[in-house]
Amino acid sequence: MRLNSPRPSGFLLPGKSPINNLRGSDQLIRVLGIETSCDETAASVVALDSDALPRILSNIVLSQIEEHAAFGGVVPEIAARAHVEALDGIIEAALADSGVALADIDAIAATAGPGLVGGLIVGLMTAKAIAAAAGKPLIAVNHLEGHALTARLTDGLDFPYLLLLVSGGHTQILAVRGVGDYQRWATTIDDALGEAFDKTAKMLGLPYPGGPNVEKAAHDGNAARFAFPRPMKGSAQPDFSFSGLKTAVRQAATAIEPLGDQDVADICASFQAAVADALADRVARALTRFRDTFPGAKSPTLVVAGGVAANRTIKATLEHLCAQAGFSFVAPPLKLCTDNAAMIAWAGIERLRGGLAEENGFDFVPRSRWPLDSISAPMVGSGRRGAKA
Ligand code: KG4
Ligand code: ZN
């Protein structure tokens, strides 16, 4: 750590308060984050100043979407090669953008799992090499922890809070109780929600990535035309399921083939309505559990993260649900909701400040599977694709 370093003149997230339990130090921490777990090559420098105000000094994300589009999904081998080609340049650019020299970086934080192992190896080994050459500590970060802690970077949230993570590889509800202290309350028993969007798009002939295209098509559709199932709605088991819904979409599409534009729009709108309804039911249960578990929580909050959080119908449904239940609703800006390295650098800072970084380091081996909550039993069939988090 460096005392008396010049303050970075970086971008301060607007209107955010200092993080209370990170107060008390006059040190400035600057961490370089590296993210390569799926199809984004990303690097970022994040600083925590002496007022405990986080600043994103740089945040560079190179998407590989075009390289994978022809295959309708992420191809692990292509992803790993693309990371090799781009990563050194992205790290250089992140350092240059931040105005911080490598010598003034306090630690390197890299995603070490879960994700596609080829990409994880590229990122973690690059981070190890840089850290070893520059004599810096290395922090191996769980990608899901990056998502889980982002709301503290953007909104200065205090623990505990509830997190709904909805991405291409994960659909989980987590109680975030502290740094390194997570309890999984629900997960999908089959497909991740982003995966369900992507597969629906593929069935209907919409381009990859499917989620945004399903949302676009749904805009002109009639959500009442198809009565799709609301999987798990009302179930005592808290988890999610989307494969039955996917099958129902396939059957409906097959039954009215050939599909015109209006048919596609109606299927998308009906699918989206079913998803929003099913999500609302599952999240409502979790809100009740949160109140029962943390009766002293001053401002109960639901945070949503992951690419599916971009969906306006889903967002509006969750916002409405939270307003009814007396919860605050936090959706970090999309750039920080989807995969990025600022969240990894930030998780590194949180670990450093919490004294939780020692257990990581140079002997850490990438883990394609790495649940945040090691106590809850793994869900058979969940996150089968294992590609995206
Ligand atoms: O978090 P993310 O960018 O990457 C990982 O999965 O890690 O999430 C990508 C997923 C994809 O499945 C994509 O189709 C979905 O998020 N997605 C959406 C929307 N935008 C992205 N799903 C529904 N509506 C959207 N507007
Ligand atoms: Zn992710």
Side-chain angles (χ1 to χ4, degrees), residues 4 37 45 48 68 96 142-143 155 164 167 175 228 230 238 240 262 268 270 314 317 337 347 349:
N4 305 322
S37 66
V45 178
L48 188 70
H68 300 286
N142 184 314
H143 178 90
D155 289 71
L164 171 68
S167 69
F228 290 139
R230 273 64 173 155
F240 301 92
Q262 193 56 51
C268 287
S270 304
I314 291 176
T317 303
C337 247
I349 290 178

Side-chain angles (χ1 to χ4, degrees), residues 72-98:
V74 179
V75 183
E77 174 77 14
I78 293 175
R81 281 170 185 269
H83 288 307
V84 171
E85 278 165 23
L87 186 57
D88 52 350
I90 297 285
I91 292 171
E92 262 183 77
L95 284 168
D97 257 25
S98 73

Side-chain angles (χ1 to χ4, degrees), residues 213-222 262 265 268-269 272 312-313:
N213 289 303
V214 168
E215 180 173 18
K216 211 160 109 195
H219 192 258
D220 303 317
N222 171 10
Q262 193 56 51
C268 287
Q272 214 171 244
R312 274 159 293 186
T313 302

Side-chain angles (χ1 to χ4, degrees), residues 69-276:
F71 303 94
V74 179
V75 183
E77 174 77 14
I78 293 175
R81 281 170 185 269
H83 288 307
V84 171
E85 278 165 23
L87 186 57
D88 52 350
I90 297 285
I91 292 171
E92 262 183 77
L95 284 168
D97 257 25
S98 73
V100 181
L102 181 57
D104 292 325
I105 292 285
D106 295 294
I108 321 277
T111 303
L116 294 172
V117 82
L120 293 172
I121 290 170
V122 174
L124 189 59
M125 290 312 295
T126 304
K128 284 184 182 182
I130 295 173
K136 307 289 179 188
L138 177 76
I139 307 166
V141 170
N142 184 314
H143 178 90
L144 300 175
E145 179 164 73
H147 281 303
L149 298 177
T150 298
R152 285 168 56 78
L153 166 65
T154 58
D155 289 71
L157 272 195
D158 280 329
F159 298 121
Y161 53 87
L162 197 63
L163 174 77
L164 171 68
L165 175 60
V166 275
S167 69
H170 285 271
T171 304
Q172 300 190 350
I173 298 177
L174 293 157
V176 181
R177 301 188 297 192
V179 179
D181 186 3
Y182 312 97
Q183 214 176 41
R184 199 192 69 208
W185 284 359
T187 187
T188 176
I189 58 172
D190 41 55
D191 295 346
L193 183 51
E195 194 178 356
F197 268 95
D198 293 339
K199 286 179 176 169
T200 295
K202 211 169 178 176
M203 272 186 257
L204 301 175
L206 296 171
Y208 173 85
N213 289 303
V214 168
E215 180 173 18
K216 211 160 109 195
H219 192 258
D220 303 317
N222 171 10
R225 178 164 165 202
F226 298 93
F228 290 139
R230 273 64 173 155
M232 307 295 279
K233 188 169 177 184
S235 164
Q237 187 184 346
D239 297 305
F240 301 92
S241 165
F242 296 106
S243 79
L245 176 56
K246 183 184 64 190
T247 306
V249 168
R250 180 179 294 114
Q251 285 168 345
T254 312
I256 57 166
E257 265 174 349
L259 300 177
D261 286 351
Q262 193 56 51
D263 297 322
V264 170
D266 292 346
I267 291 175
C268 287
S270 304
F271 166 80
Q272 214 171 244
V275 163

